[in-house]
Amino acid sequence: MCLAIPGKLISVQEHDDILFRTGKVSFDGIVKDVNLSLLPDAKSGDYVLVHVGIAISKVDEEEAQLMLKYLTASGDMKNEMDS
Amino acid sequence: MKFLEEYRDRERVEQLLHEISRIVTKPWKIMEVCGGQTHGLVKNGIIGMLPEKITMVHGPGCPVCVTPASLIDEAIALSKKENVVLASFGDMIRVPGTSESLLQAKAAGADVRIVYSPLDALRIAQAEREKQVVFFGVGFETTAPAIALSVIQAKQLGLKNFFVLASHVLVPPAMEAILSDPANEINAFLAAGHVCTIMGEKEYYPIAAKYHVPIIITGFEPVDLLQGILMAVKQLEAGEAKVENQYSRMVMPEGNPSAQQLMQQVFATCDREWRGIGEIPSSGLEVNAGYSSFDARKKFSLPVISSTEKTECRAGEVLRGVLKPVQCEHFGKRCTPEHPLGAPMVSSEGACAAYYHYHQTAASE
Ligand code: SF4
């Protein structure tokens, strides 16, 4: 549960209250709704680091790809998604 | 993938190992705080490749592992109340309390649900208004903002049936507790990368200065870990004690201010018991007065549970870094991830589980 996982923001659902701003994030094909309130300027196409359902920082694309490959290979990604 | 090679590259790993061996002259003990780092060190066999003078001590950095049995007992007591839904992360559900785990309580009929995010627990509260939904909130600084957010959202949505059983722990006070123990032998720390993504660097300045220890904020890849160790050894050999950031591609010096603000809005610090370590002053977070109507401890009268830790499991020694998981007599015998005797075997970030999964690598040490 402690892991933070990078994914690609594929769409943003704006909300009047920033705390409820969400987006769809693809983690190597698995798409989840993620809260974006901590990253007010995150936009579609950005890579973000996600921890327990909220995006905690932006990541550059290469870094994100690296982490994803690594997590997928080690099976940690599946563990994290299942938990 | 260019970056993949860069951070896992064998040649780079060997260069770093060589550089560490070249500069090290004295024996040093370095503690990696975070369970994710323990995992990385064990799984990649780095532990066995380091020069003999360097001992890596695994820190208490797995929130599931340090949650004391008394808090789990509290959650179990809550889960058995009529109309209560007790939600938490998957790992937490499997950790043994004094006499059972939440999973066992669930099997016996309690409404215990595994969620990926506290916001999922909030959605349960929205969908099932007749139920009282309690989120068992464990974690370090990385997880606390998400839980703060769920509480603020609950308030804005006017929900009266969502509560948090706050059991968060903070990393810097634990580092201080370890350092101020007269038996302490730790010379330097690798601080946890993702915790610092939220909190930044500044909390570590006073610790580095007061105890004269290098603190290196470090990532999780083999190259990250070795760079962190190299930076620590360089400082140690030069007699320095600074905070350095190996993980600058992910950690801003100031952290994430919006996340810190959410935490301040909802939580206050409190004393907290850590499994294996005991009570550490100001090392936990509780729901503050402004949000007390969302505090499960205020809403439900809970029995005061005194913790009688299971004596069989030697988690206390493992979490203090004085016993290696493989030295525990139950390791891999009576205690496995399928049938864990203690928390460090349950969580994937736990030291015992890390050694179990990568025993091959560890055995070649
Ligand atoms: S191997 Fe099992 S019994 Fe031994 S310390 Fe680890 S979790 Fe506890």
Side-chain angles (χ1 to χ4, degrees):
Chain A
M1 56 148 285
C2 231
L3 274 181
I5 301 175
K8 186 179 189 176
L9 191 52
I10 51 178
S11 65
V12 174
Q13 287 89 57
E14 295 297 344
H15 195 283
D16 293 343
D17 184 340
I18 179 81
L19 291 178
F20 289 85
R21 187 170 183 258
T22 60
K24 294 211 177 293
V25 174
S26 166
F27 303 93
D28 212 23
I30 308 166
V31 177
K32 288 221 171 210
D33 285 312
V34 165
N35 184 283
L36 297 175
S37 57
L38 297 183
L39 303 177
D41 57 351
K43 53 185 189 312
S44 192
D46 285 349
Y47 281 80
V48 292
L49 191 61
V50 177
H51 177 68
V52 299
I54 68 171
I56 58 173
S57 73
K58 284 211 252 183
V59 211
D60 67 42
E61 179 173 351
E62 281 163 305
E63 173 72 23
Q65 301 283 11
L66 153 81
M67 291 176 75
L68 267 177
K69 280 223 157 165
Y70 186 59
L71 291 169
T72 316
S74 65
D76 289 345
M77 168 95 160
K78 196 181 167 301
N79 279 340
E80 190 65 17
M81 287 296 171
D82 291 348
S83 64
Chain B
M1 189 52 46
K2 175 177 137 257
F3 271 66
L4 183 68
E5 272 142 34
E6 195 171 314
Y7 289 104
R8 308 196 68 195
D9 180 40
R10 188 151 268 289
E11 223 172 280
R12 192 78 189 98
V13 164
E14 271 159 23
Q15 269 173 11
L16 284 162
L17 280 165
H18 181 78
E19 186 58 14
I20 295 169
S21 309
R22 195 182 64 78
I23 64 165
V24 68
T25 65
K26 297 189 201 87
W28 301 113
K29 285 199 172 160
I30 304 172
M31 177 178 271
E32 86 277 1
V33 170
C34 166
Q37 294 168 328
T38 305
H39 206 57
L41 284 169
V42 174
K43 143 168 77 182
N44 296 299
I46 295 176
I47 289 272
M49 295 192 266
L50 287 168
E52 253 174 45
K53 290 202 167 74
I54 295 171
T55 309
M56 296 304 296
V57 180
H58 312 314
C62 155
V64 171
C65 304
V66 299
T67 303
S70 56
L71 277 176
I72 296 167
D73 294 346
E74 218 176 34
I76 292 172
L78 263 178
S79 76
K80 291 183 174 165
K81 286 192 188 275
E82 188 119 5
N83 245 354
V84 165
V85 176
L86 195 290
S88 195
F89 301 121
D91 279 349
M92 208 55 234
I93 305 272
R94 297 176 52 225
V95 175
T98 303
S99 53
E100 60 177 340
S101 66
L102 277 161
L103 196 62
Q104 286 161 319
K106 181 183 169 77
D111 195 347
V112 175
R113 303 195 201 173
I114 296 174
V115 291
Y116 161 67
S117 164
L119 298 174
D120 294 340
L122 189 74
R123 276 186 274 276
I124 298 175
Q126 268 180 296
E128 303 179 36
R129 300 284 176 132
E130 72 292 352
K131 294 273 166 63
Q132 314 271 1
V133 178
V134 179
F135 183 73
F136 186 19
V138 292
F140 285 124
E141 291 90 332
T142 326
T143 316
I147 294 164
L149 180 67
S150 71
V151 172
I152 300 169
Q153 285 196 354
K155 186 166 194 171
Q156 303 209 355
L157 293 166
L159 287 178
K160 302 257 181 286
N161 64 330
F162 179 76
F163 311 93
V164 170
L165 182 65
S167 309
H168 291 86
V169 280
L170 302 171
V171 171
M175 286 166 66
E176 286 222 45
I178 289 166
L179 288 168
S180 55
D181 182 337
N184 169 58
E185 295 183 339
I186 306 300
N187 304 112
F189 281 100
L190 304 187
H194 292 152
V195 166
C196 300
T197 304
I198 303 290
M199 302 306 288
E201 296 177 0
K202 64 174 184 300
E203 294 183 301
Y204 299 107
Y205 298 144
I207 302 178
K210 182 173 173 193
Y211 299 92
H212 200 77
V213 281
I215 300 176
I216 320 291
I217 296 166
T218 305
F220 304 89
E221 301 294 329
V223 168
D224 287 326
L225 291 159
L226 286 168
Q227 268 174 358
I229 294 168
L230 178 61
M231 288 161 90
V233 173
K234 268 191 185 155
Q235 283 199 43
L236 289 167
E237 292 286 338
E240 292 175 334
K242 293 182 297 196
V243 176
E244 282 187 283
N245 187 357
Q246 182 279 328
Y247 205 39
S248 57
R249 64 184 195 281
M250 215 57 106
V251 175
M252 300 287 149
E254 68 282 7
N256 183 326
S258 318
Q260 293 166 26
Q261 203 269 327
L262 284 185
M263 284 163 73
Q264 274 159 18
Q265 194 176 332
V266 174
F267 295 123
T269 53
C270 62
D271 301 342
R272 169 114 332 124
E273 187 196 337
W274 292 54
R275 195 189 284 250
I277 298 179
E279 187 163 286
I280 305 178
S282 307
S283 69
L285 292 175
E286 62 182 8
V287 178
N288 69 22
Y291 289 86
S292 61
S293 55
F294 300 93
D295 186 346
R297 288 196 182 88
K298 301 260 159 57
K299 162 79 187 176
F300 304 93
S301 50
L302 293 170
V304 182
I305 298 162
S306 65
S307 72
T308 36
E309 301 266 341
K310 270 197 179 163
T311 47
E312 271 187 317
C313 168
R314 301 180 66 183
E317 290 152 275
V318 169
L319 292 170
R320 285 195 309 270
V322 296
L323 184 84
K324 290 225 168 188
V326 289
Q327 294 167 333
C328 168
E329 62 273 30
H330 305 304
F331 179 88
K333 300 189 182 97
R334 290 184 50 233
C335 183
T336 62
E338 290 70 42
H339 299 283
L341 283 182
M345 191 57 97
V346 173
S347 161
S348 49
E349 284 106 32
C352 299
Y355 273 86
Y356 187 85
H357 287 303
Y358 306 102
H359 198 198
Q360 239 78 23
T361 335
S364 67
E365 253 186 80

